[in-house]
Amino acid sequence: MASSTVPADASPRAIADVIATEREALRETGGITDGSIATNVKPSTPRSPADVRPERITSRDPDAFPAITGREEEWRFTPLNRVRPLLDGADSDARLQWKTELPDGVTLREVAADDALLQTVPTPVDRLSALAMSRAHGAVVVSVPAEAQLDEPVVLHLSGTGEADVVWAHVVLDFGAFSKATVVLEHTGDARYAACVSVLVGDGAQADVVSVQEWERTTLHSSHMGIRVGRDAKARSMDVTLGGDLVRLVKTVEYAGTGGDAELLGLYFADAAQHLEHRLFIDHAVPNCRSRVTYKGALQGDSAHTVWVGDVMIRAAATGTDTYELNRNLLLTPEARADSVPNLEIETGEIVGAGHASATGRFDDEQLFYLQARGIPADEARRMVVRGFFAEVLQQIGVPALEERLLAAVEAELERTSL
Amino acid sequence: MSVPNDRAAGSVLSIRDLHVTVEADGAPREILKGVDLTVRAGETHAIMGPNGSGKSTLAYSVAGHPKYTVTSGTVTLDGADVLAMTVDERARAGLFLAMQYPVEVPGVSVSNFLRSAATAIRGEAPKLRLWVKEQKEAMARLDMDPDFATRSVNEGFSGGEKKRHEILQLELLRPKIAILDETDSGLDVDALRVVSEGVNRVRATGDTGVLLITHYTRILRYIQPDFVHVFIGGRIVEEGGRELADELETNGYTKYGAELAATRPPSTHSLPAGPIFGGTTTPA
């Protein structure tokens, strides 16, 4: 995909022009839909990427958020009837089953709600995340000590045990200054799970967080992952969402100092009737920070629905910002629906670059023909194309065993249809 | 008809009275209007014609592209009904199409692609060590950088790289019949020489019949055809030896004015019926 570079003295208007030109170019090359929406059926109300969103509410108090009607920007794509069991869920003692692999030096502790650390974590951004934080009545804190350099990943296996009650949870991943570590969160089983995940990346640290959703098909999962990137720190976060009935992952990025770098990657594969939603908000409020977003999704089957919303805000103070986001969706069967909404708000023209691209395309018959014309049977050719589509994201997990396993999981998804 | 499926006797691609339509503005439009052609192993046939004459349609129809509908006629390879086969079955039966515009397949490396293709065509996975060597040597013959093998198929390739990659496949897959669709277009002289040498190596084996589709005579200086067919208006209108190519180089297609006029606009009534230069065009 083309990247756009905007001159340092560009006005917001000029930047908008760059984006418009780029979108135009992408549209001409095919597969691109309007930057605001990418879908094959029932397009939603188009929005210009420069649209200013209504003011964002953040609060730890669930009642600070207005009652949800489904008309709100952040809920308009979510089937409320299906998320109701979470929204209406009562306080509960239900928990996921935890199995952990903690390399030497990494600690795990449970803390009460009044713990000092919890007062500093990123604030919930919607009613569900505020409910999760307050009803978790504390948090599980996983800490990587300052300057630790881990060779092995921290792995947290969280599995649902089939309880009907909502599991409310708050997980804090605390990466000490100048540490380097990978944390893998693996979600399996059957659950109604509403969580806050706070990712605190200390100054100069390099933190990789991989969240894998391999739930059973009955699971409801909502989460707000709030990432705070320290000065000169690098946070990489990857979502791999394959399972669940309804999964709605909200991710926010804030920068605590200059020189921060956030790379958000995602891979999702929706089958018939699955609703998989990923919403990102990157808030560039300090100078000289960078963000990169690459989310790729495949859809197959009746009523398979994915939503990707990528909001990037460049505030007036955030000079020298460099941001680019990309979402691509591959429709393997015609009845699936992918919504893709990139939004970019720019309050200063003194930036390095800002751009986005969104494209949703059908399975490319020409690719299939090319591979088949070399003797490769149709089903194997499809696997090669889908594998190739995801390779760019999958190869960046950095945990080879996990990459292999997830690739196999993606291929198992493909097997599920008569594609 | 039935030809023994015997390599020693040489493979034969036989196209008889082939009519092909494409969907245009919601209605089928006939592009091929009765093509007769026989290509035997060891022979090289050049099909020449102006843009829009249906040359590429012939290539893609034989390869089985879903966009084209065969309305009548037959295509057989050593007696087997090619039209009844899927695209991959045709390739495994021994047909190869080097494409004018090879398709990008992001995320699929050239080496993975080549080995998958070789595995499919040969019926078993080539032994890894031998394969690496085979691929490396084939790439070296085509002046291709070894790094090429790690790149995604056709992604970001220059025009010359794409065509070399097609000929690399031709050399590795060793088909019975190779159709080269405007392999020369967009190549500079150096690339044209390298690509032509690759085609000539395959011809020299005597096991492969080559159908070379081209708009220009330039490539015929590097790859000398045994037969030249002039293709206009969806059928072969004249054929001869390589001297016909020389004549085309001098005079162009102007002498086929009547057929040319009939080539282009999709008119509502049909064009002059019947073959102009006689029905069957099988060279002896």
Side-chain angles (χ1 to χ4, degrees):
Chain A
M1 284 288 163
S3 68
S4 73
T5 307
V6 180
D9 57 350
S11 68
R13 182 69 246 160
I15 293 162
D17 287 347
V18 168
I19 294 163
T21 309
E22 177 186 308
R23 281 170 48 199
E24 200 53 50
L26 284 165
R27 191 176 295 119
E28 281 168 13
T29 60
I32 183 79
T33 63
D34 185 87
S36 63
I37 209 87
T39 172
N40 64 325
V41 284
K42 294 183 281 185
S44 315
T45 320
R47 288 163 48 96
S48 133
D51 265 0
V52 175
R53 291 177 51 118
E55 198 186 336
R56 288 168 188 280
I57 302 171
T58 61
S59 174
R60 288 166 179 260
D61 175 11
D63 294 329
F65 300 93
I68 297 165
T69 64
R71 285 189 297 274
E72 300 76 10
E73 173 57 35
E74 62 265 51
W75 292 102
R76 67 184 175 122
F77 292 113
T78 314
L80 284 190
N81 56 331
R82 285 162 72 184
V83 83
R84 266 302 156 207
L86 296 180
L87 286 168
D88 297 343
D91 209 338
S92 91
D93 294 327
R95 291 287 174 266
L96 298 183
Q97 212 168 55
W98 281 58
K99 262 176 55 191
T100 60
E101 295 168 33
L102 305 177
D104 284 349
V106 177
T107 61
L108 181 150
R109 64 188 201 278
E110 292 193 42
V111 300
D114 59 359
D115 186 88
L117 181 66
L118 299 195
Q119 314 317 310
T120 68
V121 300
T123 312
V125 291
D126 56 26
R127 184 173 167 80
L128 254 181
S129 51
L131 280 172
M133 191 175 280
S134 64
R135 290 183 177 168
H137 303 298
V140 176
V141 179
V142 176
S143 300
V144 177
E147 299 188 29
Q149 310 284 303
L150 301 187
D151 297 326
E152 294 295 316
V154 178
V155 185
L156 310 175
H157 302 272
L158 312 185
S159 72
T161 55
E163 279 188 82
D165 291 346
V166 176
V167 176
W168 307 99
H170 186 191
V171 179
V172 179
L173 307 177
D174 187 14
F175 296 84
F178 302 104
S179 65
K180 182 171 185 293
T182 298
V183 175
V184 180
L185 285 157
E186 293 195 10
H187 300 97
T188 57
D190 168 61
R192 269 100 337 255
Y193 184 55
C196 275
V197 181
S198 304
V199 179
L200 310 174
V201 185
D203 291 351
Q206 285 186 51
D208 283 16
V209 177
V210 182
S211 181
V212 182
Q213 285 64 245
E214 284 191 283
W215 299 109
E216 283 170 22
R217 287 296 299 273
T218 43
T219 291
L220 303 179
H221 178 195
S222 86
S223 153
H224 167 220
M225 179 180 283
I227 303 175
R228 183 179 296 132
V229 184
R231 183 188 165 101
D232 298 325
K234 172 153 189 171
R236 285 207 326 160
S237 153
M238 168 163 325
D239 293 323
V240 180
T241 306
L242 306 174
D245 171 50
L246 179 146
V247 176
R248 183 178 186 275
L249 305 181
V250 178
K251 186 172 293 185
T252 59
V253 174
E254 57 192 65
Y255 296 90
T258 57
D261 187 348
E263 189 167 348
L264 309 185
L265 301 159
L267 180 165
Y268 46 89
F269 199 132
D271 293 320
Q274 272 187 309
H275 177 93
L276 307 180
E277 181 166 348
H278 296 85
R279 309 184 70 97
L280 314 173
F281 175 51
I282 300 172
D283 191 350
H284 281 281
V286 296
N288 301 321
C289 290
R290 178 179 181 274
S291 57
R292 286 290 181 275
V293 174
T294 308
Y295 270 66
K296 289 192 163 189
L299 299 87
Q300 64 185 6
D302 201 20
S303 301
H305 188 195
T306 65
V307 178
W308 176 88
V309 179
D311 291 341
V312 175
M313 174 80 176
I314 303 175
R315 296 186 192 273
T319 54
T321 293
D322 180 6
T323 179
Y324 192 82
E325 53 175 355
L326 166 79
N327 176 230
R328 283 195 62 203
N329 295 295
L330 185 59
L331 298 171
L332 298 171
T333 58
E335 327 77 45
R337 170 180 171 144
D339 287 298
S340 178
V341 188
N343 285 300
L344 186 53
E345 288 175 53
I346 304 178
E347 291 178 352
T348 174
E350 295 176 36
I351 59 172
V352 174
H356 63 212
S358 161
T360 294
R362 290 182 190 284
F363 194 86
D364 188 341
D365 291 336
E366 294 301 325
Q367 291 179 343
L368 202 58
F369 174 73
Y370 188 71
L371 296 175
Q372 278 190 271
R374 299 305 178 245
I376 300 170
D379 55 345
E380 190 189 338
R382 286 194 184 93
R383 271 201 301 278
M384 287 175 78
V385 170
V386 173
R387 203 176 166 139
F389 175 73
F390 281 131
E392 180 189 353
V393 172
L394 209 52
Q395 284 165 1
Q396 296 195 48
I397 291 180
V399 183
L402 186 60
E403 279 175 22
E404 278 300 309
R405 195 170 65 65
L406 291 174
L407 185 59
V410 166
E411 292 187 346
E413 292 272 345
L414 265 180
E415 302 290 329
R416 238 173 258 177
T417 52
S418 51
L419 235 187
Chain B
M1 59 171 280
S2 129
V3 177
N5 188 358
D6 178 7
R7 285 298 285 244
S11 290
V12 184
L13 175 73
S14 176
I15 301 170
R16 290 287 167 273
D17 194 30
L18 189 67
H19 290 255
V20 170
T21 61
V22 293
E23 206 62 22
D25 301 324
R29 185 177 141 214
E30 187 164 65
I31 306 288
L32 298 188
K33 298 166 181 171
V35 178
D36 289 283
L37 185 65
T38 300
V39 180
R40 298 171 201 278
E43 295 175 353
T44 298
H45 295 247
I47 290 200
M48 306 199 59
N51 284 329
S53 58
K55 305 185 299 290
S56 287
T57 297
L58 176 63
Y60 280 84
S61 300
V62 172
H65 194 287
K67 185 174 142 195
Y68 302 99
T69 307
V70 174
T71 51
S72 67
T74 60
V75 179
T76 59
L77 177 62
D78 299 336
D81 183 1
V82 168
L83 299 178
M85 300 178 194
T86 61
V87 175
D88 48 304
E89 283 167 353
R90 295 179 197 205
R92 292 198 295 276
L95 287 173
F96 179 86
L97 169 62
M99 298 190 200
Q100 184 180 4
Y101 302 110
V103 181
E104 294 185 4
V105 192
V108 175
S109 71
V110 166
S111 61
N112 176 21
F113 165 67
L114 292 176
R115 189 150 190 266
S116 299
T119 301
I121 298 285
R122 298 178 191 179
E124 60 178 352
K127 294 226 168 11
L128 194 56
R129 247 188 83 245
L130 295 175
W131 170 252
V132 168
K133 186 163 174 276
E134 186 182 351
Q135 179 188 302
K136 215 172 128 189
E137 288 172 357
M139 285 174 63
R141 283 196 296 272
L142 288 162
D143 280 348
M144 296 169 85
D145 190 295
D147 289 351
F148 201 84
T150 63
R151 292 167 64 185
S152 289
V153 171
N154 293 320
E155 196 178 41
F157 287 16
S158 69
E161 286 173 332
K162 284 183 180 167
K163 298 303 172 71
R164 280 173 211 232
H165 182 227
E166 294 294 288
I167 300 309
L168 175 66
Q169 296 165 52
L170 169 66
E171 287 205 68
L172 289 170
L173 301 178
R174 298 178 218 127
K176 293 174 181 166
I177 302 292
I179 304 173
L180 311 183
D181 187 19
E182 307 217 9
T183 294
D184 52 332
S185 64
L187 293 186
D188 62 26
V189 172
D190 287 338
L192 182 60
R193 181 184 52 75
V194 169
V195 159
S196 300
E197 285 169 4
V199 175
N200 286 333
R201 279 191 295 271
V202 170
R203 294 173 66 210
T205 64
D207 294 335
T208 300
V210 174
L211 186 58
L212 188 68
I213 292 174
T214 181
H215 183 67
Y216 307 101
T217 51
R218 187 177 63 144
I219 193 171
L220 303 184
R221 283 180 236 142
Y222 298 86
I223 303 172
Q224 305 242 315
D226 304 304
F227 307 97
V228 174
H229 311 266
V230 180
F231 204 83
I232 293 177
R235 63 166 75 98
I236 291 166
V237 296
E238 184 170 10
E239 56 189 20
R242 73 183 59 140
E243 72 288 345
L244 183 53
D246 298 334
E247 190 193 321
L248 284 171
E249 180 154 28
T250 314
N251 301 325
Y253 297 102
T254 47
K255 75 177 259 202
Y256 307 103
E259 293 85 355
L260 273 174
T263 301
R264 278 308 177 80
S267 57
T268 49
H269 55 276
S270 57
L271 302 162
I276 291 161
F277 286 82
T280 55
T281 56
T282 312

